[in-house]
């Protein structure tokens, strides 16, 4: 989805310039480029809204209450590699984030050991 947003932003920046140049050559071409840009942005906006609504209504992946962090675009930490938590991003909460993830890994390991113990 981030690529789609980037495409929409680039279209909004470049298309008016292209449309104005084409407008001087052929008025219809300028109108076509402007219309295509508006249509592209509208389609991307509707797709984004549909994804948000589907996630909230049906509890899909990336929904605010979902357990997986894969689709959570609002989480800035998804952009930061784990190994930079305690370095570059320490003052921005990276140390806390690192501690939380370590605790989650330990809980997962304990749960796996318990499952293995109960299987035996």
């Amino acid at each position: 989805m981030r690529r789609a947003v980037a495409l929409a932003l680039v279209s909004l920046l470049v298309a008016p310039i292209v449309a104005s140049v084409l407008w001087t050559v052929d008025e219809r071409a300028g109108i076509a480029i402007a219309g295509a840009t508006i249509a592209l942005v509208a389609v991307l906006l509707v797709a984004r809204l549909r994804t948000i609504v589907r996630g909230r209504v049906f509890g899909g992946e990336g929904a605010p209450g979902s357990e997986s962090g894969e689709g959570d675009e609002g989480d800035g930490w998804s952009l930061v590699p784990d190994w930079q938590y305690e370095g570059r991003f320490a003052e921005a909460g990276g140390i806390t984030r690192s501690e939380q993830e370590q605790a989650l890994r330990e809980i997962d390991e304990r749960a796996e050991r318990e499952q293995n113990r109960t299987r035996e």
Side-chain angles (χ1 to χ4, degrees):
M1 193 59 168
R2 289 186 179 133
R3 289 182 186 165
V5 171
L7 176 66
L9 291 175
V10 168
S11 296
L12 287 173
L13 291 173
V14 174
I17 297 167
V18 172
S20 65
V21 169
L22 287 177
W23 183 279
T24 59
V25 176
D26 184 16
E27 190 174 303
R28 282 181 258 164
I31 292 171
I33 293 291
T37 302
I38 291 170
L40 173 69
V41 171
V43 165
L44 292 173
L45 180 63
V46 168
R48 178 66 179 145
L49 288 174
R50 197 166 74 196
T51 303
I52 291 170
V53 169
R54 184 180 304 143
R56 288 190 180 162
V57 171
F58 300 114
E61 188 168 320
S66 66
E67 293 298 318
S68 70
E70 296 297 319
D72 194 10
E73 290 185 20
D75 187 11
W77 289 106
S78 61
L79 301 174
V80 178
D82 295 348
W83 56 273
Q84 287 186 353
Y85 285 162
E86 295 181 13
R88 181 181 299 172
F89 296 95
E91 292 179 3
I95 295 173
T96 303
R97 180 71 177 206
S98 176
E99 290 171 353
Q100 290 171 348
E101 289 191 2
Q102 178 62 31
L104 289 173
R105 281 192 292 270
E106 289 174 5
I107 290 170
D108 288 339
E109 289 172 4
R110 279 190 225 152
E112 282 183 37
R113 281 185 290 209
E114 285 295 320
Q115 283 180 346
N116 290 338
R117 231 182 267 157
T118 56
R119 288 181 189 167
E120 295 174 358

